[in-house]
Amino acid sequence: MAFERMAKSAATTMKRFEGRQQRALRAWLELVRAARAFEARIDARMLATFGQHFTRFDLMSQLYRTPDHRLSITELGSRLLSPSNNISRLLDRMQADGLVARAPNTSDRRRLDVVLTTDGAATFERMAGAHADWVTDALAAFDDATLERITGDLRALSAPAGTTAK
């Protein structure tokens, strides 16, 4: 809702801009709309197929990709693709479901890490194959060269100001 109001306001405001500014604003609006729609479609399929939201998949993915399936809560929060307004509540629910556990940090016992459980890793592995298929199907209209170009362009957008993407 808030995004739609912002987009409508931006579209009205955009009438004041011309040329490059107008094209940049249109590109930004379409990029945000596309990302939200894409994530919503993936989320709906994950919920229907696995009973899990994309945010849970994202969290398990971040843990799965580390050598010991473990991250500090702060590091985990910074890596998530989906913003989680309340990571503590999400972790509470996932811990109750046996997907993650909290454990003392190995270098600072005052801090807690999040660890992917064996059940969490198995759940992630089941979801990952379907996720890869859904994303591949959704992007089927683009050839490999176009996908590479899009990836490079998006990396350039997310690179810190004054740097170049790798």
Side-chain angles (χ1 to χ4, degrees):
M1 297 276 190
F3 172 74
E4 290 304 321
R5 281 192 306 266
M6 182 181 68
K8 187 175 183 178
S9 174
T12 303
T13 303
M14 205 173 358
K15 291 177 185 173
R16 296 186 325 193
F17 300 106
E18 293 181 10
R20 178 136 179 94
Q21 279 186 321
Q22 190 175 53
R23 285 188 296 278
L25 288 168
R26 280 191 182 134
W28 174 77
L29 284 170
E30 292 306 321
L31 180 62
V32 172
R33 281 186 184 126
R36 288 177 184 248
F38 202 177
E39 184 176 342
R41 284 194 305 268
I42 296 294
D43 184 66
R45 289 186 84 172
M46 285 194 167
L47 189 58
T49 306
F50 300 105
Q52 305 282 339
H53 283 284
F54 178 76
T55 303
R56 286 176 162 230
F57 173 78
D58 182 18
L59 190 145
M60 288 186 286
S61 173
Q62 301 308 321
L63 293 171
Y64 189 86
R65 293 185 303 187
T66 63
D68 53 356
H69 301 308
R70 169 187 213 111
L71 287 169
S72 71
I73 293 173
T74 303
E75 179 67 19
L76 178 59
S78 72
R79 291 183 181 199
L80 292 176
L81 298 174
S82 300
S84 179
N85 296 337
N86 192 342
I87 193 167
S88 294
R89 274 197 359 225
L90 175 63
L91 290 172
D92 289 344
R93 291 189 307 268
M94 291 181 74
Q95 186 168 0
D97 292 343
L99 301 172
V100 299
R102 291 182 176 103
N105 181 280
T106 55
S107 60
D108 182 352
R109 297 270 179 205
R110 296 170 295 177
R111 294 178 31 203
L112 288 177
D113 286 347
V114 180
V115 181
L116 189 64
T117 64
T118 303
D119 285 348
T123 298
F124 171 75
E125 288 170 355
R126 282 192 305 276
M127 295 174 77
H131 175 257
D133 288 342
W134 298 334
V135 171
T136 301
D137 289 347
L139 298 175
F142 300 108
D143 63 24
D144 289 348
T146 302
L147 289 175
E148 290 296 326
R149 184 184 52 76
I150 291 170
T151 301
D153 291 347
L154 293 174
R155 279 192 183 131
L157 278 175
S158 38
T163 65
T164 56
K166 295 178 183 177

